Amino acid sequence: MKPLKRNHLFIMLNSVGCWLVCVMLAGSCNRNNVSESPPPDPEPPVASDVSLYVTQGDKNILFQKQNVSLVFSGTGPAGTIIEVDTAQTFQSIDGFGYTLTGGSATLLNALPAATLDALLKELFLWDSTHIGVSYLRLSIGASDLSASTFTYDDVPAGETDPTLAHFSIDKEKQDLIPILKKIVALNPAIKILGSPWSAPVWMKTNGSFVGGSLKPEYYGVYATYFVKYIQAMKAEGITIDAITVQNEPLHGGNNPSMVMQAVDQAAFIKNNLGPAFAAAGITTKIITYDHNADRPDYPLAILNDAAAKAYVDGSAFHLYGGSITALTDVHNAHPDRHVYFTEQWVGGPGNFAGDLKWHVENLIIGATRNWSRNVLEWNLAADASYQPHTPGGCTSCLGALTIGSDVTRNVAYYIIAHASKFVRPGSVRIASNNSGSFATVAFKNPEGKKVLIVLNKGTETGSFNIKFNGKMVTSSLNGGAVGTYVW
């Protein structure tokens, strides 16, 4: 092959260079022959008196702020009217959130540092796009969504520890406490509720994590166990705002679990737990029951015992049975004591549209309209196989987050976000009416802003007027959608 002459080589390289420049300029050499559409400009924000965030059952809109003009005027079209009245006030709000199970903490703590940092800010701050979770529930010892069963005073089979010499929360220092410290750093005012699934098995009638009851001779020791737990967590910089005496005291089939009848819980509170807290100077609230709304007789039996009631802040409920209106029955019988909603699961794989509608109607709207000071969905996080859980524990509890190689936000994330971001602790529920297919609840938050949560329970798009201080603004929601309106 003949060698190229220097000038021929130069011409060839120069031609190749020009071609490369054209390619690097994204085809500008052929621009006249190619039709390109520039990216659309972002839609400029419109003037509005009201901010609106929407989630739809079809997942086309997921807690997104809507760029719509909602301006109050003296009139509105004929039709449905939802009136908000700040003159009628009800209970104060403590917060909205999840149970930070042991399994949730393990999954979170395994995330890369930068991913975890961003996720915790998204969850627990409330500026920008963050959702402002303001209340957490913890298990005291293991729940069924821990990797294994344990308490804070486990001893070999056949042994006891009545002085609690072996008491230790060291097991929580691996995952739970590190995550809690990060959360408390983001939101020092977050409220934390602790709930035991079981006492140490050596205190129980059957010596097992599953079922059994607390032996009466260990009532005093178990009261000290609660005191030591609250003090140990405080030493780690974590304040336990409240405890429930027993998770699901009428359900002995979970792993772990413990049965505690109302008469026994009343005796434990008035004779042991309440006096132990008072002697130790502990101000952590004592909340009774912590089970389904189908048995309001349980908390009422305790509140009707004056000696027990003296130590009780209120009653906690789940809704795996009964009607959410039972919370009002308990409130009306003892209006000087509070009501809380502390657990509801989403069963995996879930039905986003159906779960969104049911949970918003019955919990975010229903529980708060029936005097609850909080709403807590069940587990914050699980993996794609609903792990971890104990043998015999929940095998299909869908977390608000699914954590694996990435993080997926599930329906409970959006359910809570619609309240937690705007209905900050210290908010007060105010009057609003339900009308037609629209279920509502309204609040005035500490900044003085009004927050109205509306669910369209129907299948068709519906319009309505929001009336406030004699003026109205018109809006609409697609069937099954939830909207949070803030002004």
Side-chain angles (χ1 to χ4, degrees):
M1 180 176 176
K2 289 175 61 177
L4 291 171
K5 294 183 180 180
R6 184 182 300 272
N7 59 334
H8 291 167
L9 181 60
F10 176 80
I11 292 169
M12 181 181 291
L13 290 174
N14 199 36
S15 299
V16 171
C18 289
W19 178 79
L20 286 171
V21 168
C22 287
V23 171
M24 292 173 66
L25 290 175
S28 60
C29 298
N30 295 319
R31 188 170 301 279
N32 291 333
N33 300 320
V34 178
S35 175
E36 293 185 354
S37 299
D41 292 330
E43 190 177 359
V46 299
S48 185
D49 294 335
V50 182
S51 296
L52 168 60
Y53 287 73
V54 171
T55 298
Q56 293 189 168
D58 60 11
K59 299 196 280 188
N60 284 334
I61 301 176
L62 293 172
F63 195 58
Q64 291 175 0
K65 187 176 183 180
Q66 303 301 291
N67 190 25
V68 292
S69 181
L70 298 172
V71 178
F72 281 104
S73 64
T75 60
T80 300
I81 295 177
I82 296 169
E83 185 165 7
V84 176
D85 182 4
T86 55
Q88 296 183 61
T89 60
F90 303 91
Q91 80 276 21
S92 294
I93 297 299
D94 284 347
F96 299 85
Y98 308 96
T99 298
L100 178 63
T101 60
S104 297
T106 298
L107 292 167
L108 288 167
N109 209 31
L111 288 170
T115 303
L116 175 62
D117 180 64
L119 181 59
L120 292 182
K121 286 179 179 177
E122 177 186 335
L123 289 169
F124 296 100
L125 296 181
W126 56 95
D127 61 340
S128 183
T129 58
H130 307 135
I131 69 167
V133 170
S134 51
Y135 206 118
L136 287 175
R137 183 178 181 223
L138 312 175
S139 60
I140 300 175
S143 75
D144 60 307
L145 293 190
S146 298
S148 61
T149 53
F150 67 92
T151 72
Y152 303 135
D153 199 316
D154 295 326
V155 297
E159 296 184 16
T160 62
D161 184 23
T163 65
L164 300 179
H166 298 289
F167 181 94
S168 172
I169 63 167
D170 283 352
K171 192 171 182 67
E172 306 290 24
K173 294 179 181 179
Q174 180 176 347
D175 293 315
L176 180 68
I177 288 175
I179 293 296
L180 281 172
K181 286 183 175 181
K182 292 178 184 293
I183 292 169
V184 170
L186 293 170
N187 181 5
I190 193 165
K191 289 195 178 332
I192 299 174
L193 167 71
S195 301
W197 265 240
S198 176
V201 299
W202 54 267
M203 297 186 189
K204 297 173 69 175
T205 54
N206 65 350
S208 169
F209 273 105
V210 179
S213 300
L214 184 66
K215 291 181 177 179
E217 60 264 34
Y218 288 121
Y219 277 21
V221 179
Y222 195 42
T224 303
Y225 180 92
F226 278 91
V227 170
K228 292 176 76 69
Y229 165 72
I230 292 164
Q231 292 172 336
M233 294 295 276
K234 186 68 174 178
E236 297 293 330
I238 298 159
T239 299
I240 304 300
D241 179 73
I243 57 95
T244 60
V245 181
Q246 174 60 42
N247 172 69
E248 299 189 344
L250 298 177
H251 174 34
N254 202 358
N255 184 24
S257 60
M258 186 170 77
V259 174
M260 183 179 279
Q261 300 297 335
V263 63
D264 299 321
Q265 190 164 121
F268 176 61
I269 290 170
K270 67 184 178 184
N271 298 326
N272 306 104
L273 187 62
F277 277 20
I282 287 175
T283 57
T284 298
K285 303 178 185 77
I286 297 173
I287 299 174
T288 189
Y289 192 42
D290 205 11
H291 208 168
N292 291 332
D294 59 351
R295 290 292 305 275
D297 58 297
Y298 188 116
L300 287 173
I302 295 168
L303 294 173
N304 289 339
D305 183 325
K309 179 180 177 178
Y311 294 110
V312 171
D313 174 85
S315 309
F317 293 86
H318 308 174
L319 196 58
Y320 305 113
S323 168
I324 198 67
T325 58
L327 280 63
T328 287
D329 296 337
V330 173
H331 164 82
N332 288 344
H334 293 273
D336 57 345
R337 292 298 185 265
H338 297 141
V339 173
Y340 301 90
F341 192 90
T342 49
E343 180 187 318
Q344 195 69 28
W345 82 319
V346 175
N351 176 323
F352 190 97
D355 292 330
L356 177 72
K357 180 179 173 182
W358 190 93
H359 284 245
V360 171
E361 180 178 4
N362 287 284
L363 308 186
I364 301 299
I365 294 173
T368 54
R369 287 188 75 97
N370 285 280
W371 296 93
S372 184
R373 297 171 70 90
N374 69 345
V375 173
L376 303 181
E377 290 281 337
W378 179 217
N379 52 317
L380 175 59
D383 70 14
S385 301
Y386 313 115
Q387 296 275 7
H389 60 76
T390 62
C394 181
T395 58
S396 56
C397 283
L398 179 67
L401 307 173
T402 297
I403 296 181
S405 57
D406 55 9
V407 178
T408 302
R409 289 145 189 83
N410 300 317
V411 67
Y413 173 94
Y414 301 104
I415 292 163
I416 291 298
H418 269 278
S420 60
K421 184 174 179 68
F422 311 104
V423 188
R424 302 304 303 160
S427 298
V428 176
R429 181 167 68 90
I430 56 178
S432 67
N433 60 292
N434 295 326
S435 184
S437 66
F438 299 102
T440 78
V441 67
F443 307 88
K444 184 177 180 180
N445 71 20
E447 296 177 345
K449 291 186 176 182
K450 279 65 65 182
V451 181
L452 173 68
I453 300 172
V454 181
L455 170 70
N456 183 353
K457 299 188 295 179
T459 58
E460 303 295 329
T461 300
S463 297
F464 53 92
N465 299 305
I466 300 171
K467 184 177 182 181
F468 178 70
N469 279 354
K471 294 187 175 182
M472 290 196 287
V473 62
T474 303
S475 185
S476 65
L477 290 171
N478 289 340
V482 56
T484 298
Y485 297 80
V486 185
W487 70 93

